[in-house]
Amino acid sequence: MAAVNPLLVVKDLHRSFGGLKAVDGIDLTVMPGEVRAIIGPNGAGKSTLVGLVCGRIEPDSGSILFDGRDITALPAHRRVRQGIAYTFQITSIFPNLTVFDNVALPVQRSQHHSVGVARLRRGVLEALERVGLSDRLDQPAGELAYGHQRLLEVAMGLSLKPRLLILDEPTQGLSDGEIEGFVALVREIARDATVMLIEHNMDVVMSLADRITVLNFGKVLAEGTPEEIRANAHVQAAYLGTPDDE
């Protein structure tokens, strides 16, 4: 059986803001088809790390390889074409546009050639069906409930047919029922894409992640399976709390 190469490799990545070392020598390897959770206390460097991966932030040093290609100097829009899609911690929909147009827009912007109308519509409908919003095509996005706005943003990412989908705090503000639906959605997405997930909800993390990377003060504190992370004394002290606190 042929060896499977990593989809994403981060090597000795550094990024500082003034005197703050937000990302301080991080190494990370993500395999194709994996659901990788990135967790840690507020200010640990999680959003900076994924901002570096998707190209929204430039590193001070280090390298980022995607499917064996060095993309460290590649601008964000070209990383999208390579197959990296990112959803923001705070919804970034266009409230005055319809649900359909919100999903169509990133597809049009990401392509270096024009997309036929039929192909565009097919791609938009497919993405909206996956998140359960196909019955709201003509509704202004700003009229959607908050949970549906988060799902719309996921659809915007899915419409790009990503190989790596980065979700930053996707369950923030969702109800218990919406979270349950989101977990099912991520499991479905992971059938044909790799997922990197920043999430504070530990029930979501433990149920979804194949592996978990724990950041603290811009460094990797621990990495392993959910069971290994739950049992790690250093992680308990820095983030999860001791068993007596549960």
Side-chain angles (χ1 to χ4, degrees):
M1 182 180 295
V4 178
N5 294 321
L7 181 66
L8 177 70
V9 178
V10 170
K11 296 180 180 178
D12 195 25
L13 207 58
H14 292 260
R15 175 64 197 213
S16 295
F17 298 98
L20 174 66
K21 294 181 178 181
V23 167
D24 189 13
I26 287 180
D27 294 320
L28 183 72
T29 300
V30 180
M31 302 303 294
E34 181 180 347
V35 177
R36 174 65 64 92
I38 310 293
I39 69 171
N42 290 331
K46 304 182 297 295
S47 290
T48 300
L49 173 61
V50 297
L52 290 163
V53 170
C54 73
R56 295 178 60 244
I57 302 172
E58 294 184 4
D60 296 326
S61 61
S63 64
I64 303 167
L65 305 178
F66 186 70
D67 198 19
R69 178 185 179 186
D70 191 331
I71 63 168
T72 311
L74 212 61
H77 70 277
R78 291 186 61 190
R79 297 190 198 195
V80 170
R81 293 176 190 166
Q82 294 294 315
I84 299 176
Y86 175 74
T87 69
F88 295 86
Q89 183 173 359
I90 301 171
T91 53
S92 58
I93 62 168
F94 299 93
N96 295 325
L97 296 181
T98 66
V99 167
F100 181 94
D101 287 343
N102 265 269
V103 180
L105 196 58
V107 178
Q108 293 170 325
R109 285 183 170 179
S110 67
Q111 298 297 321
H112 54 277
H113 54 78
S114 60
V115 181
V117 174
R119 181 180 172 189
L120 175 63
R121 183 173 179 81
R122 186 166 59 249
V124 171
L125 290 176
E126 180 182 316
L128 289 172
E129 284 170 1
R130 291 182 78 177
V131 303
L133 293 178
S134 59
D135 60 341
R136 299 173 182 266
L137 297 180
D138 299 321
Q139 184 174 353
E143 294 180 3
L144 294 175
Y146 182 78
H148 287 159
Q149 291 183 12
R150 298 310 304 253
L151 290 175
L152 174 58
E153 193 183 31
V154 173
M156 292 164 71
L158 289 176
S159 69
L160 300 170
K161 306 290 186 185
R163 301 170 66 195
L164 174 64
L165 179 63
I166 302 173
L167 303 170
D168 193 348
E169 298 287 0
T171 68
Q172 182 176 291
L174 300 188
S175 68
D176 290 343
E178 289 170 334
I179 289 174
E180 185 177 333
F182 174 80
V183 168
L185 173 62
V186 172
R187 288 191 177 125
E188 189 269 328
I189 292 170
R191 293 175 186 169
D192 52 19
T194 303
V195 177
M196 183 180 290
L197 175 73
I198 294 180
E199 183 56 65
H200 279 295
N201 186 319
M202 285 299 101
D203 290 336
V204 171
V205 169
M206 295 299 176
S207 66
L208 279 178
D210 297 307
R211 291 183 67 78
I212 300 170
T213 299
V214 186
L215 301 185
N216 198 28
F217 298 112
K219 295 179 178 289
V220 175
L221 175 65
E223 190 171 278
T225 65
E227 294 75 17
E228 291 168 340
I229 294 301
R230 196 189 297 273
N232 188 299
H234 297 293
V235 177
Q236 290 174 3
Y239 185 56
L240 296 181
T242 63
D244 291 337
D245 293 331
E246 295 179 351

